[in-house]
């Protein structure tokens, strides 16, 4: 019986151990001259002389946002302009954390423009009230999400160069800033070249639609894209933001956002590090003690986010056993939800095939 219990837990959590091992990107074994030049250019990069020109790329830029604080973690939440209700929910829940163990976190929302002038007036009103919006001069469409990342990185290294780490996260995510900061504090011995998230391994270039755009093999001639973190949420250190900025000029904006960042990082010799505590695009089945351990999970419904946050902040701490069994239930239920979703997709595809 003890053997069966042990085997069950090995099978349950062994996948995480294998994932951590096999999904680690292959470390760079050498630095060619092009990579070394990119890293040196990033090291000596000075944005002060071009601040004026850069400011012209934003409708709302909030250049003073970081000026009064020593920022440990800058949180850039990618939001659509019209989704005010979600931004308000995030402000009330997981982004409403500004100090963790004496270290400052700052959450800002990154937007593009809307085609409607009336809607833009509402965004400006929100900005005046909340003081936490960055808005670039580009339409906030699926095709422009890669440009959005590029503009966010440009803004960061120009106006918030003192931020030690940057978390890029989508608006439909839950993020556990407390746990993430505690994890990052343990990286003091290795404060540079941090590119952390849920690694996508050996993604193959194809003509498949991604985020509303089509990615052609011709646009990326390699057999596989470089290993890269899912664009739903990832962490980079300030030096990596500078390196991505330096190499981004030679990488096509037609690539999907996560792949774009991965290609830029690879060009600067930066290797993504996998953590299964990032959910990627998955919805992690909710359990209070489980959510106090993970870094991110997709939570599509705003009402669900508010409800789960209230329960998480009920004042109850999780014991070691509660955390352990919370993770067990999370793992099992998320797996079962995945099987259910796969069956639904298979039925839909079969129905579509026969209807044709």
């Amino acid at each position: 019986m003890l053997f069966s219990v042990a085997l069950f837990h090995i099978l349950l959590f062994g996948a995480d151990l294998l994932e951590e091992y096999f999904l680690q990107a292959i470390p760079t074994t050498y630095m060619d001259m092009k990579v070394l030049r990119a890293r040196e250019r990033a090291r000596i990069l000075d944005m002060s002389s071009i601040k004026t020109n850069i400011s012209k790329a934003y409708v709302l830029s909030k250049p003073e946002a970081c000026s009064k604080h020593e920022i440990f973690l800058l949180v850039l939440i990618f939001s659509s302009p019209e989704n005010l209700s979600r931004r308000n929910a995030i402000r009330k829940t997981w982004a409403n954390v500004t100090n963790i163990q004496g270290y400052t976190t700052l959450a800002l929302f990154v937007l593009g423009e809307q085609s409607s002038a009336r809607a833009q007036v509402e965004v400006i009103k929100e900005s005046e009230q909340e003081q936490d919006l960055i808005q670039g001069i580009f339409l906030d469409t699926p095709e422009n999400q890669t440009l959005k990342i590029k503009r966010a990185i440009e803004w960061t290294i120009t106006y918030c160069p003192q931020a030690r780490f940057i978390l890029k996260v989508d608006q439909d995510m839950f993020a556990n800033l407390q746990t993430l900061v505690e994890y990052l504090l343990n990286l003091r011995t290795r404060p540079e070249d941090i590119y952390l998230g849920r690694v996508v391994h050996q993604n193959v270039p194809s003509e498949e639609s991604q985020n509303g755009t089509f990615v052609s093999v011709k646009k990326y001639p390699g057999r596989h894209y470089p290993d890269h973190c899912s664009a739903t949420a990832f962490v980079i250190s300030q030096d990596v933001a500078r390196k991505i900025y330096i190499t981004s000029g030679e990488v096509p904006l037609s690539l999907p956002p996560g792949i774009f960042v991965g290609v830029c990082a690879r060009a600067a010799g930066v290797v993504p590090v996998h953590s299964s505590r990032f959910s990627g695009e998955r919805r992690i089945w909710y359990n209070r003690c489980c959510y106090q351990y993970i870094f991110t999970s997709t939570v599509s419904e705003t009402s669900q986010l508010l409800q789960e946050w209230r329960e998480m902040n009920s004042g109850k701490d999780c014991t070691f056993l509660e955390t352990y069994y919370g993770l067990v239930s999370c793992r099992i239920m998320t797996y079962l939800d995945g099987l259910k979703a796969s069956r639904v997709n298979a039925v839909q595809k079969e129905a579509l095939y026969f209807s044709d």
Side-chain angles (χ1 to χ4, degrees), residues 183-201:
Y183 176 86
L184 294 174
L185 285 171
N186 292 323
L187 299 179
R188 290 175 180 172
T189 56
R190 186 185 163 218
E192 295 187 347
D193 282 334
I194 301 300
Y195 175 28
L196 177 72
R198 190 166 194 90
V199 172
V200 180
H201 186 61

Side-chain angles (χ1 to χ4, degrees), residues 16-52:
D16 276 343
L17 298 175
L18 291 173
E19 186 178 52
E20 294 286 350
Y21 180 79
F22 287 110
L23 288 185
Q24 293 285 349
I26 299 172
T28 305
T29 55
Y30 68 94
M31 291 279 185
D32 62 25
M33 289 305 299
K34 188 174 181 180
V35 169
L36 290 173
R37 282 195 295 268
R39 293 173 73 88
E40 177 61 18
R41 286 172 59 203
R43 187 186 67 81
I44 64 175
L45 181 64
D46 181 8
M47 304 296 288
S48 59
S49 62
I50 56 175
K51 271 187 178 181
T52 303

Side-chain angles (χ1 to χ4, degrees), residues 8 19 59 68 138 148 162 175 178 182 191 225 251 256-257 262 324:
F8 168 76
E19 186 178 52
V59 182
K68 299 178 182 178
F138 56 85
K148 197 172 184 177
Q162 73 272 37
Q178 175 81 32
E182 290 171 356
Y225 290 121
V251 179
Y324 176 75

Side-chain angles (χ1 to χ4, degrees), residues 286-353:
Y286 177 73
N287 174 282
R288 179 175 61 87
C289 295
C290 174
Y291 268 48
Q292 290 182 6
Y293 175 79
I294 63 173
F295 296 149
T296 65
S297 175
T298 298
V299 183
S300 300
E301 298 297 327
T302 298
S303 59
Q304 193 172 37
L305 174 64
L306 293 168
Q307 179 182 346
E308 292 175 356
W309 182 256
R310 282 194 295 269
E311 184 177 336
M312 283 185 64
N313 288 269
S314 61
K316 299 178 182 177
D317 292 327
C318 293
T319 65
F320 174 80
L321 285 177
E322 286 175 329
T323 300
Y324 176 75
Y325 285 112
L327 291 171
V328 170
S329 63
C330 262
R331 163 70 63 168
I332 293 173
M333 296 305 296
T334 300
Y335 175 73
L336 293 176
D337 284 349
L339 286 180
K340 183 178 178 182
S342 296
R343 290 195 189 102
V344 170
N345 289 336
V347 170
Q348 289 174 342
K349 289 181 180 179
E350 185 176 358
L352 181 62
Y353 174 81

Side-chain angles (χ1 to χ4, degrees), residues 164-221:
R164 198 175 305 180
F165 296 101
I166 302 99
L167 168 65
K168 182 272 176 188
V169 59
D170 288 344
Q171 66 181 0
D172 60 348
M173 304 293 286
F174 157 78
N176 188 336
L177 300 186
Q178 175 81 32
T179 303
L180 180 59
V181 166
E182 290 171 356
Y183 176 86
L184 294 174
L185 285 171
N186 292 323
L187 299 179
R188 290 175 180 172
T189 56
R190 186 185 163 218
E192 295 187 347
D193 282 334
I194 301 300
Y195 175 28
L196 177 72
R198 190 166 194 90
V199 172
V200 180
H201 186 61
Q202 291 194 339
N203 197 4
V204 179
S206 67
E207 297 285 352
E208 295 178 358
S209 176
Q210 300 192 30
N211 294 328
T213 62
F214 285 90
V215 182
S216 172
V217 175
K218 294 179 181 178
K219 293 176 183 175
Y220 192 83

Side-chain angles (χ1 to χ4, degrees), residues 101-112:
Q101 296 186 19
Y103 292 88
T104 300
T105 63
L106 174 65
L108 300 172
F109 293 91
V110 182
L111 321 173

